[in-house]
Amino acid sequence: MALSSLLTVISRLTLLWLLLCPVSLFAQVPATASIAVFEDHDKYIEASRSYGTAWGLIKLAADHQGIALQPQSTSWSAAMNRLQAQRVHLIFGAFQTAERQAWGTFSLPLSEEGSAIFTTPDNPIDRIDDIDMATATIGVSANSVQDEIARELGFVNVYASTARPQLYSMLEEGRLDYLLFGQSIVAYYCANFTATPHEACMKQIGPALLPSWVRVMAASDNRIAKQLIASLNEGLMAIRHTQAARDIFSKYPNAALRHKQWLTQLKQEAGSLPH
């Protein structure tokens, strides 16, 4: 076969391959990623061990992958709406649930967090079983996992709001009996809105409910966002044993144990890790 004919055949085959291959094979991960974060993002980092650790790890992974995260502070409900409407690439601080897995994609775990029922210190109730679910009022963030938990527990009077400060005020004024929040949110509230020492700021009723891992989430129908999640996961695996990762844990109590627990969870979810 003449050289010119061979080149023609190769060109045609290459063109056919390009037409048949998925576009996603050629798309590059963007250099910047918009990510919805909690309102008062910086104060959450300072006040909450779980929130601060998770943000430090995902930021470190993003830096390793050459991705610049662009935080957008917003309420949780607004963040979920933006994510589903593809007005933001990612949402930070999400729990992985069966309902969300139906339409979302998640990062590897970042830090452990629990939800719990909280009330004012003068409330005599100490056990969840002693709460009268038919008459008690409880506040939750709208469209949150805690909203679902409150209803599953049997609370009849669930007040869901997009504004957390409103819920704090309603509890203090006696218009709510309880709040069901992530423990990070209560830590943030106690650190920034009261003069009361943290130990006496709010009383937790019973053990943590639905302990889970904080993650970054993307919408499954957003191709670019899914690529970002995949890249961030690669970054997390690359930095997991670094001193920089250990330093993030060292900013908060029980650093060595929590770093070890994180590595164990990573191994469980990512399979065998290279040594």
Side-chain angles (χ1 to χ4, degrees):
M1 181 181 293
L3 179 59
S4 59
S5 299
L6 179 61
L7 291 174
T8 299
V9 171
I10 292 174
S11 297
R12 289 176 177 173
L13 289 174
T14 301
L15 179 60
L16 179 63
W17 183 75
L18 288 170
L19 292 172
L20 293 176
C21 279
V23 176
S24 60
L25 291 177
F26 306 97
Q28 294 183 342
V29 177
T32 60
S34 55
I35 181 167
V37 297
F38 287 13
E39 295 168 301
D40 283 346
H41 174 64
D42 291 336
K43 289 183 178 179
Y44 270 102
I45 291 174
E46 182 178 350
S48 167
R49 178 181 66 183
S50 176
Y51 191 99
T53 300
W55 178 255
L57 290 174
I58 204 64
K59 180 69 167 56
L60 186 62
D63 290 345
H64 183 275
Q65 297 299 100
I67 299 170
L69 297 179
Q70 298 178 328
Q72 297 184 6
S73 296
T74 183
S75 70
W76 181 255
S77 183
M80 293 295 281
N81 290 336
R82 288 186 192 182
L83 189 71
Q84 291 178 300
Q86 298 194 13
R87 294 199 299 271
V88 66
H89 290 121
L90 308 167
I91 187 170
F92 173 76
F95 291 151
Q96 184 172 294
T97 66
E99 185 275 330
R100 290 175 182 171
Q101 283 180 298
W103 61 273
T105 300
F106 294 84
S107 73
L108 289 169
L110 299 170
S111 66
E112 201 165 15
E113 167 81 326
S115 300
I117 296 174
F118 294 91
T119 188
T120 54
D122 59 350
N123 189 322
I125 298 295
D126 292 313
R127 302 190 315 140
I128 295 176
D129 290 344
D130 292 335
I131 299 174
D132 185 346
M133 303 290 182
T135 61
T137 56
I138 190 164
V140 297
S141 294
N143 297 326
S144 67
V145 169
Q146 291 80 23
D147 192 346
E148 299 173 16
I149 295 173
R151 299 176 196 280
E152 290 172 359
L153 286 172
F155 280 96
V156 174
N157 305 301
V158 180
Y159 187 87
S161 173
T162 59
R164 293 193 189 101
Q166 177 189 22
L167 297 175
Y168 303 141
S169 298
M170 291 177 71
L171 181 70
E172 291 173 352
E173 295 164 4
R175 291 187 289 150
L176 288 174
D177 299 313
Y178 303 96
L179 301 178
L180 206 168
F181 278 162
Q183 291 168 316
S184 289
I185 292 173
V186 171
Y188 156 80
Y189 167 77
C190 290
N192 292 284
F193 291 95
T194 72
T196 308
H198 184 273
E199 297 77 11
C201 169
M202 285 250 205
K203 182 170 75 169
Q204 180 173 320
I205 306 297
L209 303 167
L210 195 69
S212 188
W213 287 85
V214 174
R215 302 170 191 267
V216 168
M217 180 182 177
S220 296
D221 59 356
N222 187 330
R223 177 176 55 83
I224 292 176
K226 287 179 67 177
Q227 291 174 327
L228 285 166
I229 290 287
S231 183
L232 290 172
N233 283 342
E234 290 178 4
L236 287 169
M237 296 301 289
I239 59 92
R240 67 191 188 279
H241 291 301
T242 63
Q243 185 59 49
R246 293 188 180 90
D247 289 344
I248 291 169
F249 285 90
S250 295
K251 296 176 182 178
Y252 306 94
N254 303 319
L257 175 61
R258 293 178 60 250
H259 182 243
K260 182 179 179 180
Q261 291 171 334
W262 177 62
L263 291 177
T264 300
Q265 189 67 21
L266 277 182
K267 184 173 183 178
Q268 179 178 324
E269 296 194 25
S272 298
L273 306 179
H275 296 287

